[in-house]
Amino acid sequence: MSWKKQFAEALHPSRAIAIEDERAYPRHSGDYRHAAVLVPITDRTEPGVILTRRPAWLRSHAGQVAFPGGKVDPEDENAIIAALREAEEEIALPRDEVNILGPADDYYSGSGYQITPVIGVVPPDLPLVPNPEEVEEWFEVPLAILFDRANYARRRVEWQGQMREYYDMDWEGRRIWGVTAGIIANLSRRLLGDD
């Protein structure tokens, strides 16, 4: 079975998995704000996943590794449209080059976001250009490395008076952790099964 077909089958809503996210942690008051991220998988024999690193000077999430994405705006028809728009804004990824496989499980963050990961296949070696207002750099991590849970450490930290657990991975000097690593862990469970 091809990896694309495996992904499409794994994303089917009838496939139930245990979701790990941050909804058990206290957060700021108010309803969850809807956000969407694109999980761009390069169409190679050995596929990779495109990630971004935010600029160090940003007030929020400075220097963190993330998927291209952001808030779902009122004019966005759905999470897929929002994820494609944000990827185009952040790294000049043309939306018409993305073959959408579908949305994955929503991830609820401790900062009050309900994040919909949208899985898309993109041609390899697109001439992506980071928007310096939002992205310091983009890079591609082999899917086999990124989705291998053995490559992650499970960490604990006290934050806002409560112990929190999160996944943490270093890949070529880039730290992948927090919400991004949590979304990857859920996708790995969906694709490879629980363990």
Side-chain angles (χ1 to χ4, degrees), residues 6-190:
Q6 187 179 4
F7 256 99
E9 287 182 8
L11 291 172
H12 194 276
S14 66
R15 182 174 165 84
I17 65 162
I19 300 297
E20 289 184 29
D21 59 22
E22 301 172 5
R23 69 183 102 192
Y25 301 129
R27 61 180 182 84
H28 304 291
S29 62
D31 293 331
Y32 283 98
R33 295 161 287 180
H34 199 185
V37 296
L38 183 65
V39 181
I41 303 173
T42 53
D43 193 0
R44 305 180 191 277
T45 305
E46 298 295 328
V49 177
I50 295 171
L51 293 168
T52 66
R53 189 169 54 82
R54 295 169 57 83
W57 53 264
L58 288 177
R59 287 186 336 194
S60 176
H61 308 293
Q64 288 188 0
V65 169
F67 294 108
K71 289 188 294 186
V72 175
D73 290 341
E75 60 272 12
D76 293 325
E77 187 177 323
N78 54 42
I80 293 171
I81 299 297
L84 291 171
R85 175 184 53 75
E86 286 283 346
E88 200 165 54
E89 290 173 6
E90 291 183 9
I91 57 174
L93 175 57
R95 58 184 83 197
D96 59 351
E97 293 281 359
V98 183
N99 177 24
I100 299 295
L101 296 181
D105 306 285
D106 285 355
Y107 187 98
Y108 290 81
S109 76
S111 57
Y113 283 96
Q114 175 187 349
I115 305 162
T116 302
V118 176
I119 314 304
V121 179
V122 299
D125 306 316
L126 288 172
L128 304 177
V129 179
N131 174 345
E133 295 299 312
E134 300 186 64
V135 174
E136 178 77 24
E137 67 167 341
W138 68 269
F139 57 96
E140 185 177 340
V141 183
L143 184 71
I145 291 173
L146 197 65
F147 278 36
D148 183 348
R149 283 172 271 168
N151 292 327
Y152 290 84
R154 191 85 162 135
R155 308 239 189 257
R156 291 174 54 101
V157 67
E158 185 174 335
W159 190 69
Q160 294 184 343
Q162 185 175 12
M163 289 306 294
R164 291 183 169 214
E165 290 189 10
Y166 62 93
Y167 291 98
D168 196 343
M169 171 188 175
D170 181 79
W171 186 77
E172 295 190 351
R174 297 174 180 100
R175 185 179 181 211
I176 303 167
W177 68 288
V179 170
T180 301
I183 289 171
I184 292 165
N186 285 337
L187 285 171
S188 173
R189 262 185 229 94
R190 182 161 281 287

